[in-house]
Amino acid sequence: THQDFVCNVGRIQNRGVAVMKTTGDNSFEACAMECRQTEGCAAFDFTTNSISDACRLANEDQIPRIGNSGARQYFAERTFLD
């Protein structure tokens, strides 16, 4: 659920080891499920656009880019923020 995540307009870190996986899932529900099922996933961003990397998963070491994100929203799991 959305309650399990903190939401911001923004994106995950774009490059480096922080980006764990990308999928074409372009909804909150699908991308959140992908994150929950991926060991080490602490955050994700997604867009509703139909593109190959609509959902992007990141580990806890990533530095999010909060703010102007184009069409993306950023979500971090609350357990990693506590």
Side-chain angles (χ1 to χ4, degrees):
T1 67
H2 280 78
Q3 297 167 342
D4 298 333
F5 296 90
V6 174
C7 174
N8 283 294
V9 173
R11 303 172 182 210
I12 64 167
Q13 180 174 319
N14 192 30
R15 293 185 172 82
V17 297
V19 180
M20 301 175 64
K21 182 178 184 180
T22 61
T23 73
D25 295 315
N26 64 347
S27 71
F28 167 82
E29 292 79 10
C31 199
M33 181 177 294
E34 196 69 48
C35 185
R36 285 188 190 103
Q37 294 175 348
T38 302
E39 185 175 340
C41 181
F44 65 91
D45 70 16
F46 82 95
T47 178
T48 56
N49 295 337
S50 295
I51 55 177
S52 63
D53 67 345
C55 172
R56 302 185 302 189
L57 310 183
N59 64 33
E60 64 184 16
D61 296 328
Q62 61 100 23
I63 300 169
R65 298 173 288 158
I66 303 300
N68 184 4
S69 69
R72 291 189 177 271
Q73 289 196 43
Y74 171 81
F75 295 86
E77 282 200 75
R78 289 190 186 276
T79 55
F80 286 97
L81 299 175
D82 294 338

